[in-house]
Amino acid sequence: MVENSGVFHLAIVLDRSGSMEECRDATIDGFNEYVGSIRKRVEREELHARVTLVTFNHDVRFHFVDAPLARLRRLSRRTYVPDGSTAMLDAMGETLRLLENDPRDAYLVCLVSDGYENASTRYTYAQISELIGQHRAGGSWTFTYLGSNVDLADVSHELSIPRGNTALYTSSPEGTARAWSLHAEATVDHLQAVASGQAPDDFYGGKTGEEPS
């Protein structure tokens, strides 16, 4: 149960490694549409929302940390430039280190990546799994993973993210566009749940961003 009288904190941890170049424009467009959807729902639910935006390749870049939602701006080809390798664990660890844990508030941490970790130097899978588990234990934190080129069962196990909060997408412009649409729909549903005091561990509702087989 989440107290809806507190603050809603949205943290987006977005891969910008070199492999994201193929779907760069789709990522930019999808993120921008996502931002619009979130703003509308936050206003409708009259939530007090704050946002953290982190992008990562072999380095971790903080664009905003727990800032007012109005600070969240659209991405462009100038501000989102994929290159380098993938320090996903460092990005997650640094994000959780900077966010305060207030049990009166609700937190949604969204990790978006198109591949496996290969460059972190400060955090291990075991450390991130422990951190996520500790945060989830209080009942006010939700973690999601939207990824491609991975085994979701492995990701769920290694990061302690519930399987229903993970989704796989095809790493192509079309697959990326579908994935962001799915993520926006799921986040809007989650915001409605938070407003009513609920935050179930089935974020994506069994859906994925992939084409039906």
Side-chain angles (χ1 to χ4, degrees):
M1 181 73 70
V2 176
E3 294 290 341
N4 60 12
S5 58
V7 178
F8 176 72
H9 302 263
L10 171 64
I12 305 166
V13 185
L14 176 62
D15 192 344
R16 59 178 171 86
S17 61
S19 58
M20 295 290 286
E21 178 62 37
E22 180 182 358
C23 52
R24 180 182 181 184
D25 290 331
T27 298
I28 292 169
D29 291 343
F31 176 89
N32 292 340
E33 292 179 9
Y34 176 72
V35 168
S37 298
I38 300 312
R39 283 181 172 155
K40 289 179 182 178
R41 179 57 68 170
V42 164
E43 293 173 359
R44 182 178 302 175
E45 301 294 345
E46 298 182 343
L47 294 172
H48 180 193
R50 301 185 68 84
V51 65
T52 296
L53 175 60
V54 182
T55 60
F56 64 93
N57 51 13
H58 46 278
D59 292 319
V60 180
R61 180 180 301 168
F62 289 90
H63 301 262
F64 308 106
V65 177
D66 208 27
L69 184 63
R71 290 280 305 279
L72 188 58
R73 296 289 184 263
R74 295 166 62 87
L75 291 179
S76 68
R77 289 183 65 86
R78 180 180 63 82
T79 58
Y80 182 74
V81 182
D83 68 349
S85 48
T86 309
M88 179 183 72
L89 299 176
D90 284 353
M92 285 293 288
E94 292 301 310
T95 299
L96 295 180
R97 183 180 66 84
L98 290 176
L99 287 175
E100 292 187 10
N101 187 356
D102 189 330
R104 298 169 298 177
D105 297 345
Y107 297 80
L108 174 61
V109 181
C110 304
L111 173 58
V112 182
S113 180
D114 76 336
Y116 283 104
E117 154 70 39
N118 60 23
S120 289
T121 59
R122 297 185 294 277
Y123 290 89
T124 65
Y125 272 105
Q127 289 172 320
I128 297 303
S129 176
E130 182 177 2
L131 280 173
I132 290 176
Q134 290 172 350
H135 283 73
R136 289 185 57 231
S140 58
W141 286 71
T142 299
F143 291 84
T144 73
Y145 176 86
L146 181 64
S148 64
N149 306 309
V150 297
D151 184 324
L152 289 183
D154 289 344
V155 170
S156 177
H157 173 72
E158 291 176 337
L159 295 179
S160 293
I161 296 177
R163 184 64 178 82
N165 289 8
T166 67
L168 194 67
Y169 71 94
T170 302
S171 185
S172 66
E174 296 79 9
T176 299
R178 284 190 296 272
W180 278 102
S181 178
L182 163 70
H183 190 62
E185 180 182 347
T187 303
V188 165
D189 290 343
H190 181 81
L191 284 169
Q192 185 174 353
V194 167
S196 63
Q198 303 292 329
D201 281 335
D202 187 18
F203 186 81
Y204 291 112
K207 300 177 183 177
T208 74
E210 294 186 302
E211 292 186 58
S213 58

